[in-house]
Amino acid sequence: MRVLLTGGAGFIGTHVHDQLLAEGHEVTVLDSFRPDVHAARPARSPGLVVGDIRRADAVTRALDGVDTVIHLAAKVGLGVHLDDIDDYVSSNSLGTAVLLKSLGNIRNLVYASSMVVYGEGRYDCDDHGQVAPGPRRTEDLEQGRFEPPCPHCGAPLRPGLVTEDAALDPRNAYAASKLNGEHLAAAWARETGGRVTALRFHNVYGPGMPRNTPYAGVAAIFRSALERGEIPRVFEDGRQRRDFVHVRDVAAAVTLSAAALPRQPPFTAYNVGSGTVTTIGEVAAELARAYGGPRPVVTGEYRLGDVRHITAASDRLKNELGWKPAYDLQTGLEDLLHSAG
């Protein structure tokens, strides 16, 4: 394949780039090197276009000679405040629209989506079956009542694994912009005869994780605290369920999806998760042990816009494309500990 990799200088992008090259593909990278992510802009080099995904001239230049696009470029982070809602919409929604408009005769696109498009994960009530709880109330969070109740009877719920067929319910600016990108890409595929695979990444960690920026995931935040000799601070009660997937497993999923595009329907969505349920508190404790640092403290603090539980069922990706994660959490964190990134 001759691939354009947008956001190819970022955390996930650098691993996808390495995987593509290892598989023998030709790769052009488009990256803006935005200062809130990258400390410096690189020197010019073959195969690198420095430019903003929102600029049609930069996108068109990067697309020259390409037959497949892997679109990772995005403003990521929490998205739980409205202060930068315009930046999320501009960077993610508009950036994706400019890319799609510029594709010309290119018909193969892998789009980096996120677990956040689901909102809360799957929940079941003993009396009402599978239910969709609404956003958690501030007064409940203030009182330490973190678990969402059944919206019909108020009873406790059992969290489970979310599948790609679940209802989509984005609950913050970042989530809304990522789902909008899925919708735009699906519309492009219908109108052009193209093919889109949307990969809904769960909590990605591994070598090269961002440090001390809004882009840092929770594992990176805990690691940075430990490296400074500080106590990792865990929000809520630490029992929030997540699926942590190693970045090299994510890179393998991306390249597999790109190679499979000619055989795919117009739009396909895959969860990309390890399949193992882990709590935020367990990750903090495991990192503290690995680094020989202080034990985490559970603060009871919360952020509006955070969801309680979201864990993936990645069976569709495994069954249809033969993907299999190579890292469990223990081996993945050991890899992180011994990496320079």
Side-chain angles (χ1 to χ4, degrees):
M1 295 183 295
R2 293 174 298 171
V3 179
L4 170 62
L5 177 62
T6 75
F11 166 43
I12 297 175
T14 53
H15 290 274
V16 173
H17 189 214
D18 290 345
Q19 183 74 22
L20 287 167
L21 294 178
E23 294 175 6
H25 304 295
E26 299 177 30
V27 185
T28 298
V29 168
L30 172 65
D31 203 295
S32 66
F33 289 87
R34 52 187 298 162
D36 53 349
V37 184
H38 300 276
R41 293 165 70 94
R44 292 183 180 272
S45 62
L48 172 64
V49 176
V50 178
D52 195 310
I53 191 69
R54 296 166 290 190
R55 293 289 303 271
D57 55 344
V59 174
T60 300
R61 187 166 73 253
L63 286 168
D64 184 41
V66 164
D67 56 52
T68 301
V69 174
I70 297 172
H71 180 35
L72 304 182
K75 174 180 172 65
V76 299
L78 299 175
V80 296
H81 301 295
L82 295 181
D83 294 347
D84 51 3
I85 187 172
D86 52 343
D87 196 9
Y88 279 107
V89 173
S90 177
S91 300
N92 300 351
S93 299
L94 177 60
T96 298
V98 170
L99 173 65
L100 294 170
K101 184 178 179 180
S102 304
L103 287 179
N105 294 324
I106 299 169
R107 293 292 180 265
N108 297 316
L109 173 68
V110 174
Y111 172 74
S113 189
S114 170
M115 66 177 187
V116 296
V117 301
Y118 295 113
E120 289 282 356
R122 173 174 177 148
Y123 292 88
D124 291 276
C125 172
D126 288 339
D127 292 329
H128 296 97
Q130 187 173 341
V131 297
R136 295 181 293 171
R137 302 185 308 169
T138 302
E139 51 266 41
D140 288 334
L141 297 171
E142 288 283 357
Q143 295 298 318
R145 296 190 294 268
F146 301 120
E147 295 290 344
C150 175
H152 305 294
C153 65
L157 298 174
R158 288 177 284 105
L161 302 181
V162 66
T163 66
E164 293 86 352
D165 299 323
L168 304 179
D169 183 21
R171 297 191 175 183
N172 56 51
Y174 171 58
S177 69
K178 294 309 289 183
L179 181 55
N180 182 238
E182 285 196 24
H183 289 162
L184 291 171
W188 167 83
R190 285 194 298 270
E191 292 185 19
T192 65
R195 300 173 184 85
V196 177
T197 293
L199 298 177
R200 295 170 181 165
F201 301 148
H202 283 247
N203 291 75
V204 185
Y205 72 98
M209 286 192 306
R211 298 170 183 260
N212 305 316
T213 79
Y215 284 59
V218 65
I221 292 170
F222 292 153
R223 181 183 66 165
S224 294
L226 289 163
E227 290 176 342
R228 295 191 300 267
E230 298 174 1
I231 298 173
R233 295 173 58 82
V234 179
F235 280 15
E236 300 188 17
D237 58 5
R239 297 175 185 168
Q240 308 94 302
R241 291 157 54 105
R242 296 292 188 270
D243 185 319
F244 288 84
V245 58
H246 195 278
V247 67
R248 293 196 186 97
D249 288 330
V250 168
V254 171
T255 61
L256 271 173
S257 298
L261 277 167
R263 307 186 299 275
Q264 294 288 74
F267 182 85
T268 306
Y270 291 118
N271 287 335
V272 184
S274 70
T276 300
V277 175
T278 308
T279 69
I280 298 292
E282 288 169 343
V283 169
E286 187 67 31
L287 277 167
R289 284 193 294 271
Y291 278 85
R295 296 181 62 181
V297 59
V298 177
T299 68
E301 298 174 85
Y302 65 89
R303 289 184 297 239
L304 287 176
D306 278 357
V307 299
R308 178 61 174 172
H309 303 298
I310 176 68
T311 51
S314 300
D315 295 342
R316 178 183 291 180
L317 179 60
K318 296 174 183 177
N319 294 336
E320 294 186 7
L321 299 189
W323 176 79
K324 183 179 180 181
Y327 292 83
D328 59 23
L329 187 63
Q330 181 177 1
T331 58
L333 290 179
E334 288 174 358
D335 179 58
L336 175 62
L337 175 63
H338 293 105
S339 69

